[in-house]
Amino acid sequence: MLIRNVTTDIRSGVATMEADGNSIFIFEVAGLCIGHIGHLHHRLSDEHYARIGRIDVLMVPVDGSYTMSSEGMLEVVRRLRSSIILPMHYFGQISFNRFLRRMGEDIPVEMNAGPSVVLSLNALPERPKVLVLPGY
């Protein structure tokens, strides 16, 4: 497995940013690229997207307040065009449902039966989908 990191800035206090305070971790295993966006606070630049590259499975924070807005995160999801989008990092059903509604306008949302999923490069869907794994 190869693990790499693309850094982004992070909010520090109300009005300041800390350079390279967030990590976008990318795990490459068996030809599959899995990306964890981390605590993203700002839109990504073209340079960020170039450094990130292809992401097959994307884990995105969807709280819409402590990280980016739902609209901002949707922009990231659209640009990366990952096959599977796994929502994470939400603090209540209101923000979570808002994200799912907004995503569902562009990308189908599927509720998984259980809290885990087995994925492989050959079995990825042809079109992107949001996959919700129930939490405990």
Side-chain angles (χ1 to χ4, degrees), residues 41-59:
H41 284 159
H42 61 83
R43 287 188 158 82
L44 298 174
S45 67
D46 288 340
E47 180 182 342
H48 286 120
Y49 287 109
R51 290 177 51 214
I52 291 168
R54 185 189 100 235
I55 299 289
D56 301 307
V57 179
L58 181 65
M59 293 179 269

Side-chain angles (χ1 to χ4, degrees), residues 15-68:
T16 60
M17 294 293 275
E18 176 186 338
D20 299 328
N22 180 57
S23 292
I24 296 174
F25 284 107
I26 301 160
F27 307 87
E28 298 180 28
V29 59
L32 197 64
C33 292
I34 303 165
H36 186 290
I37 293 291
H39 207 67
L40 187 62
H41 284 159
H42 61 83
R43 287 188 158 82
L44 298 174
S45 67
D46 288 340
E47 180 182 342
H48 286 120
Y49 287 109
R51 290 177 51 214
I52 291 168
R54 185 189 100 235
I55 299 289
D56 301 307
V57 179
L58 181 65
M59 293 179 269
V60 296
V62 300
D63 64 276
S65 59
Y66 290 103
T67 56
M68 285 178 61

Side-chain angles (χ1 to χ4, degrees), residues 92-105:
Q93 285 302 125
I94 293 172
S95 62
F96 185 62
N97 291 337
R98 180 177 48 239
F99 177 82
L100 292 181
R101 263 193 318 276
R102 185 62 192 97
M103 287 298 295
E105 294 173 8

Side-chain angles (χ1 to χ4, degrees), residues 78-97:
R78 282 182 184 145
R79 180 92 183 254
L80 288 173
R81 296 187 308 261
S82 301
S83 297
I84 304 273
I85 298 97
L86 297 172
M88 61 172 196
H89 194 148
Y90 65 95
F91 304 109
Q93 285 302 125
I94 293 172
S95 62
F96 185 62
N97 291 337

